[in-house]
Amino acid sequence: MGSGSFLKLLANNFDVLAGPLVSLAYPLYASVRAIETKSPVDDQQWLTYWVLYSFITLFELTFAPVIEWLPFWSYAKLFFNCWLVLPCFHGAAYVYDHFVRPMFVNRQIVNVWYVPRKEKLSKPDDVLSAAERYIEQNGPEAFEKLISKSTRGSNSKRKTKQSILEEAAYLS
C-alpha cells in the first residue's frame, strides 16, 4: 500500500519532478561530457539545445501572464524539452536547422527608417536648382531646346483650349 501511494504521488507530480531533470540536469551532464569529447556533432547538439532553452525561457518570461492561464503549458514544455534533449529525436538540431539558423544566418535587414541624404543640403530642391543641374549636365543648348519644346507644346494646348471655347460659344 505504501509503494502504491508513492507511485501515485510520482504520477501526480511527474511534471514537477521530471521537468527540471529533463530540462536542466541531463543537459548539464551531457554538455560537460560533450565539451570533453573531440566530436563537434555532440557540441552542436548541446549548444543548439541551450540556445533553444534560452528562447523558451525568454518566451516564458515575456508571456508569463498569458501562460498562467494555460493549464497544459507545463506538460507541453516538458514534452518539447524531452523531444529536444533525447538523442533518438535530435530535436534541438532539427529546430535549429529549420527555424533558428535561417532567421540569424540568412537574414535580410530592411531598414524602415532609412532616408537617403541629398548631395547638396545647402541648395533647396526647387525649379531653379533643377535647371542649374540640367545645364551643368547637358549644356545650355540642350536646356534651350527643352524650353522651346515645352513652349511649343503649351501653345498647341492653348490653341486647342481656345478652339473648344470658340466651339462652345458657337454652339450656344
Side-chain angles (χ1 to χ4, degrees):
M1 187 86 170
S3 64
S5 62
F6 177 71
L7 290 175
K8 195 182 275 188
L9 178 71
L10 265 173
N12 287 338
N13 295 316
F14 179 73
D15 61 329
V16 175
L17 297 172
L21 180 67
V22 169
S23 46
L24 291 176
Y26 178 70
L28 282 173
Y29 169 73
S31 298
V32 170
R33 204 174 75 207
I35 290 170
E36 297 301 322
T37 64
K38 302 286 184 199
S39 173
V41 175
D42 56 357
D43 294 346
Q44 181 184 11
Q45 166 68 22
W46 293 111
L47 281 172
T48 55
Y49 169 78
W50 288 112
V51 168
L52 295 174
Y53 186 78
S54 66
F55 276 140
I56 293 169
T57 305
L58 182 64
F59 176 79
E60 279 186 320
L61 291 173
T62 305
F63 298 105
V66 176
I67 291 174
E68 290 174 358
W69 288 91
L70 300 174
F72 57 86
W73 172 252
S74 60
Y75 296 107
K77 181 182 172 187
L78 173 67
F79 289 124
F80 185 68
N81 279 332
C82 288
W83 181 70
L84 291 176
V85 168
L86 295 175
C88 60
F89 296 119
H90 294 290
Y94 178 82
V95 172
Y96 183 80
D97 287 339
H98 289 87
F99 299 106
V100 177
R101 189 168 194 269
M103 188 173 24
F104 286 103
V105 175
N106 299 330
R107 68 180 182 179
Q108 296 178 354
I109 298 174
V110 178
N111 190 354
V112 178
W113 301 106
Y114 174 70
V115 177
R117 291 188 173 186
K118 296 180 182 179
E119 293 175 8
K120 298 177 183 178
L121 294 175
S122 61
K123 290 187 177 181
D125 196 20
D126 58 358
V127 176
L128 293 177
S129 62
E132 288 175 1
R133 280 188 298 219
Y134 187 82
I135 291 171
E136 287 175 6
Q137 292 174 356
N138 301 316
E141 295 84 20
F143 185 68
E144 289 175 8
K145 287 180 185 177
L146 182 67
I147 292 175
S148 65
K149 285 181 187 177
S150 67
T151 54
R152 275 186 267 153
S154 64
N155 287 341
S156 64
K157 288 178 186 175
R158 286 186 191 141
K159 289 179 185 175
T160 309
K161 287 182 183 178
Q162 289 174 351
S163 62
I164 292 173
L165 290 175
E166 290 173 0
E167 288 180 22
Y170 176 74
L171 292 174
S172 54

